[in-house]
């Protein structure tokens, strides 16, 4: 067995456009997916997720580069000869067949004996909790149930890799959350490598072992959910995953992993963490997540100097109490607003305990949570 | 669906429209059982004309020819017409619009023109006119009708089901037989049904491509009614209507079952 379940090596896919031009749907993508991994491809619409998946499945061929499945170069191997199965976004169920026939189809193609087919289809339907429905036609099922049929139909082939293209996209929010957990549990149970496409960052964070963040045909960053969230490698990733605040600046000094960034709008410098390939003089974005910011009452007397936090002065513009936390918008001058989430670990009805508009505050940005990011990936 | 009854005037109006459709046919059917030879007055019930009909060897031969031509032309036209519909659905190529529109020319141009052109063509290549030329002509005018009907069905066809089939291990051919064809089958059947009925009662094109020897039911009927509409023709027409009705019912049932 090869080290990787799927590997894309410098893959490019160019489509002709109707206008006569060309579009690089996938642009020099290299990535490796390990066996048994829940791997997500995340990115905005049109960034090339589906195209990547379709090339793995064999519905499209790379213009350049090579795709390996379990170490074997795929070249122009047709889909029916690849050890890969797909769950389509539209489910693509066979409407003229019953649920049983849909799920059995893949085994029939392998000429599995009838008895065994019956047995395995029964087990597969049980796994996706559709046991009583084998005689129904797809049209007689709800969206969530159709989704499970699509899943059972693909999983029954025991593929090395299962590709899922936004499989929960058509479901309502509640069902979606339920299915997220079920899918994740199912993946653990069967131990098959999942390649999961989504444009929902929360979904990717909750389900994945690793995530590849894509934009405009390129992979920007690959990492665990924690790495992607806590240590994005560029402004785009920080912006796309979760919420954050940005300040524009220029690198002034680099020492012992701590960078000093000059904020031209403010007569102030802030310190933060940054990648080692940043250079002095480079334009950067500084990203601070709203939940990592701490506020303090500003009584005008404190000397604004600390060795763990950057401190900015600001004024509360508006607040919104959302139960678990309070969302506060702070104006730090020069028309720059920062969003701060203060966890409500106090439990009081006293309105004095909460920030209100026009409160003067000190905004604490801990060095370790102040991320200095390049505009794009190198 | 709401089970509301239509307004009275609407029911009366619909009844009149149906009457307008079916009264002539009804009269024809009634007179096929009339003992009198002229279609003017009812005299008494008889099955005599049906007996005459079944003993008329010319009519029986024409019926046989018509059915053979209809079956063969329907079969061939359905296969080719469906293939054309699938190709037009699936591929884009230079000259697509041109190919697409000239495919439907036989539907649009007058039948006489098509009949004459076929006659001229067969004469040019010195092809002996007869049952074969009639069949070829019927295939020719049936193909675009089948394509039209199948394309309507293909509209909105989700090609990801074909990809799913290949993904599950079926090659292109198996995918066609197991997934594509069953999915578009209702369209193919409607197309075939249309082709069959068109072939069954075609007169103009058949007339031009028949030659002196070969005859079909429509040709035979026209020659029989040249002087007067006899009860024998009434009997023949009655059976004809019945046949078409049965085909129609079968197709309705099949379509219902499919959806
Ligand atoms: N068959 C095709 N012909 C031409 N262009 C295509 C084709 N398929 C995709 N593209 C283009 O390639 C780019 C990437 O498309 P892709 O479907 O991979 O995006 P995606 O990341 O899956 O987006 P979404 O989240 O909207 O599904 C888009 O600009 C799209 O217009
Ligand atoms: Mg997509």
């Amino acid at each position: 067995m090869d080290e990787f379940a799927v590997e894309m090596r410098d893959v490019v896919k160019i489509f002709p456009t109707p206008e006569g031009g060309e579009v690089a749907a996938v642009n020099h993508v290299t990535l490796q997916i390990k066996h048994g991994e829940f791997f997500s491809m995340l990115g905005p619409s049109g960034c090339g997720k589906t195209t990547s998946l379709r090339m793995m499945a064999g519905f499209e061929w790379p213009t350049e580069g090579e795709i390996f499945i379990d170490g074997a170069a795929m070249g122009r191997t047709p889909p029916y000869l690849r050890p890969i199965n797909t769950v389509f976004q539209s489910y693509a169920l066979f409407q003229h067949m019953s649920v049983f026939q849909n799920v059995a189809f893949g085994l029939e193609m392998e000429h599995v004996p009838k008895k065994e087919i019956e047995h395995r289809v029964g087990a597969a339907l049980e796994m996706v909790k559709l046991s009583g429905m084998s005689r129904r036609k797809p049209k007689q099922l709800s969206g969530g149930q159709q989704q499970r049929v699509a899943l059972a139909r693909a999983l029954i082939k025991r593929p090395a890799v299962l590709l899922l293209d936004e499989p929960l996209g058509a479901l309502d929010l509640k069902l979606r959350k339920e299915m997220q957990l079920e899918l994740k549990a199912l993946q653990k149970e069967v131990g098959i490598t999942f390649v999961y496409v989504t444009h929902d960052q929360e979904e990717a964070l909750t389900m994945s072992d690793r995530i590849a963040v894509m934009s405009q045909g390129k992979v920007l960053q690959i990492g665990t959910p924690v790495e992607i969230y806590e240590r994005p490698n560029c402004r785009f990733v920080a912006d796309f995953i979760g919420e954050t605040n940005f300040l524009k600046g220029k690198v002034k000094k680099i020492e012992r992993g701590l960078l000093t960034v000059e904020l031209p709008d403010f007569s102030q410098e802030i310190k933060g963490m940054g990648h080692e390939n940043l250079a002095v003089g480079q334009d950067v974005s500084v990203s601070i997540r709203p939940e990592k910011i701490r506020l303090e009452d500003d009584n005008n007397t404190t000397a604004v100097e600390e060795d763990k936090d950057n401190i900015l002065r600001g004024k509360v513009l508006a607040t919104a109490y959302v139960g678990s936390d309070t969302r506060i918008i702070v104006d730090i001058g020069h028309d720059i607003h920062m969003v701060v989430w203060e966890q409500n670990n106090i439990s009081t009805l006293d309105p004095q305990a909460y920030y209100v508009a026009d409160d003067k505050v000190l905004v604490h940005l801990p060095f370790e949570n102040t991320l200095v990011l390049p505009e794009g990936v190198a | 669906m709401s089970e509301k009854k239509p307004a009275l005037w609407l029911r009366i109006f619909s009844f009149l429209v149906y009457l307008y459709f079916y009264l002539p046919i009804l009269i024809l059917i009634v007179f096929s059982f009339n003992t009198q030879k002229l279609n003017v007055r009812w005299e008494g019930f008889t099955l005599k004309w049906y007996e005459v009909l079944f003993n008329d060897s010319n009519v029986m031969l024409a019926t046989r020819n018509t059915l053979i031509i209809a079956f063969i032309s329907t079969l061939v036209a359905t296969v080719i017409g469906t293939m054309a519909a699938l190709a037009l659905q699936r591929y884009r190529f230079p000259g697509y619009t041109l190919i697409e529109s000239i495919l439907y020319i036989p539907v649009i141009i007058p039948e006489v023109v098509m009949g004459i052109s076929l006659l001229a063509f067969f004469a040019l290549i010195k092809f002996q006119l007869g049952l074969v030329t009639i069949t070829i002509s019927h295939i020719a005018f049936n193909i675009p009708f089948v394509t039209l009907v199948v394309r309507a069905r293909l509209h909105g066809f989700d090609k990801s089901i074909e990809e799913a089939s290949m993904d599950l291990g079926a090659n292109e051919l198996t995918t066609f037989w197991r997934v594509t064809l069953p999915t578009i089958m209702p369209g193919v059947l409607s197309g075939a049904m249309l082709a069959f009925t068109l072939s069954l009662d075609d007169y103009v094109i058949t007339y031009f491509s028949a030659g002196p020897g070969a005859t079909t039911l429509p040709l035979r009927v026209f020659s029989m009614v040249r002087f007067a509409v006899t009860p024998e023709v009434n009997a023949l027409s009655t059976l004809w209507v019945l046949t078409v009705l049965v085909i129609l019912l079968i197709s309705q049932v099949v379509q219902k079952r499919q959806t």
Side-chain angles (χ1 to χ4, degrees), chain A residues 54 57 59 78-80 84-86 88 90 92-94 96-97 102 105-106 108-109 153-154 157, chain B residues 158-172 174-175 178-180 182-183 257-258:
Chain A
R54 289 174 58 81
F59 302 130
Y80 46 86
I84 269 198
N85 288 105
T86 308
F88 292 80
S90 61
L93 297 179
F94 307 132
H96 61 286
M97 297 184 196
N102 265 280
F105 188 85
E108 268 178 60
M109 294 302 123
R153 186 177 70 172
K157 299 273 291 180
Chain B
D158 179 12
K159 81 172 179 0
S160 65
I161 59 167
E162 289 178 334
E163 291 182 344
S165 162
M166 297 222 264
D167 190 68
L168 293 166
N171 60 22
E172 287 86 353
T174 312
T175 297
R178 293 286 313 268
V179 173
T180 314
T183 305
R257 188 113 43 85
Q258 291 271 349

Side-chain angles (χ1 to χ4, degrees), chain A residues 87-374:
Chain A
V87 175
F88 292 80
Q89 176 164 16
S90 61
Y91 312 143
L93 297 179
F94 307 132
Q95 300 295 337
H96 61 286
M97 297 184 196
S98 67
V99 168
F100 181 94
Q101 289 168 320
N102 265 280
V103 179
F105 188 85
L107 297 182
E108 268 178 60
M109 294 302 123
E110 292 173 24
H111 305 291
V112 174
K114 228 179 152 112
K115 266 264 159 4
E116 194 189 330
I117 291 186
E118 269 173 35
H119 179 73
R120 278 172 66 180
V121 171
L125 288 177
E126 198 163 318
M127 183 176 68
V128 297
K129 305 189 183 95
L130 282 176
S131 290
M133 313 230 170
S134 63
R135 307 258 289 273
R136 292 210 195 170
K137 287 277 173 74
K139 277 223 180 82
Q140 298 164 315
L141 299 177
S142 73
Q145 290 166 337
Q146 291 183 31
Q147 213 281 322
R148 289 159 206 259
V149 177
L151 201 61
R153 186 177 70 172
L155 277 176
I156 203 167
K157 299 273 291 180
R158 297 177 185 154
V161 182
L162 186 72
L163 308 178
L164 303 100
D165 191 356
E166 304 202 25
L168 309 181
L171 306 181
D172 65 48
L173 192 68
K174 188 163 168 290
L175 195 55
R176 211 183 152 110
K177 299 257 179 224
E178 256 174 60
M179 286 298 294
Q180 283 176 8
L181 298 177
E182 279 185 32
L183 262 182
K184 178 75 195 167
L186 194 69
Q187 191 260 344
K188 280 253 162 64
E189 190 185 320
V190 295
I192 289 173
T193 310
F194 273 35
V195 183
Y196 192 96
V197 160
T198 178
H199 61 242
D200 180 339
Q201 44 106 4
E202 203 183 315
E203 189 167 292
L205 288 176
T206 36
M207 301 175 79
S208 321
D209 295 322
R210 284 194 309 150
I211 301 170
V213 183
M214 293 185 72
S215 168
Q216 298 182 354
K218 290 198 154 83
V219 170
L220 299 182
Q221 185 172 9
I222 300 177
T224 63
V226 175
E227 283 166 356
I228 298 273
Y229 187 80
E230 300 292 347
R231 293 290 177 268
N233 66 354
C234 64
R235 183 190 165 108
F236 182 89
V237 175
D239 197 18
F240 194 74
I241 314 290
E243 276 197 54
T244 194
N245 296 287
F246 286 116
L247 295 169
K248 282 199 162 298
K250 204 188 261 288
V251 179
K252 192 180 171 201
K253 205 164 68 184
I254 304 178
E255 50 178 14
R256 280 175 277 115
L258 211 58
L259 286 87
T260 308
V261 175
E262 201 178 343
L263 304 177
D265 290 338
F266 303 85
S267 53
Q268 197 175 343
E269 293 167 353
I270 63 173
K271 291 185 174 145
M273 318 288 290
H275 214 265
E276 50 290 342
N277 55 16
L278 288 168
V280 172
Q282 193 175 343
D283 285 323
V284 288
S285 286
V286 177
S287 157
I288 314 103
R289 303 258 182 220
E291 76 278 11
K292 318 249 191 218
I293 301 175
R294 197 166 51 79
L295 296 181
E296 188 189 356
D297 289 326
D298 183 3
N299 34 35
N300 285 322
T301 54
T302 4
V304 181
E305 195 63 51
E306 258 208 61
D307 61 352
K308 286 216 306 283
D309 294 357
N310 301 295
I311 300 176
L312 301 170
R313 284 209 140 91
K315 192 178 80 177
V316 174
L317 272 186
T319 67
Y321 176 81
V322 295
S324 61
D325 47 39
T326 302
R327 308 198 162 175
I328 304 160
I329 299 175
V330 180
D331 183 357
I332 54 168
H334 305 280
D335 262 344
I336 298 179
H337 299 164
M338 290 197 117
V339 178
V340 182
W341 298 348
E342 276 244 318
Q343 212 192 347
N344 290 328
N345 40 19
I346 47 170
S347 172
T348 171
L349 297 177
D350 178 11
Q352 296 288 320
Y354 301 92
Y355 289 104
V356 294
D358 291 331
D359 279 354
K360 291 236 165 66
V361 288
L362 293 177
V363 183
H364 286 252
L365 315 173
F367 295 163
E368 58 181 17
N369 290 326
T370 303
L371 306 177
V372 183
L373 305 174

Side-chain angles (χ1 to χ4, degrees), chain A residues 13 15-18 23-26 43-52 54 60 89 165-166 197-199 214 217:
Chain A
K13 178 67 191 183
F15 285 116
T17 60
V23 56
V26 171
S45 189
C47 71
K49 307 179 296 284
T50 297
T51 307
S52 303
R54 289 174 58 81
E60 309 275 4
Q89 176 164 16
D165 191 356
E166 304 202 25
V197 160
T198 178
H199 61 242
M214 293 185 72

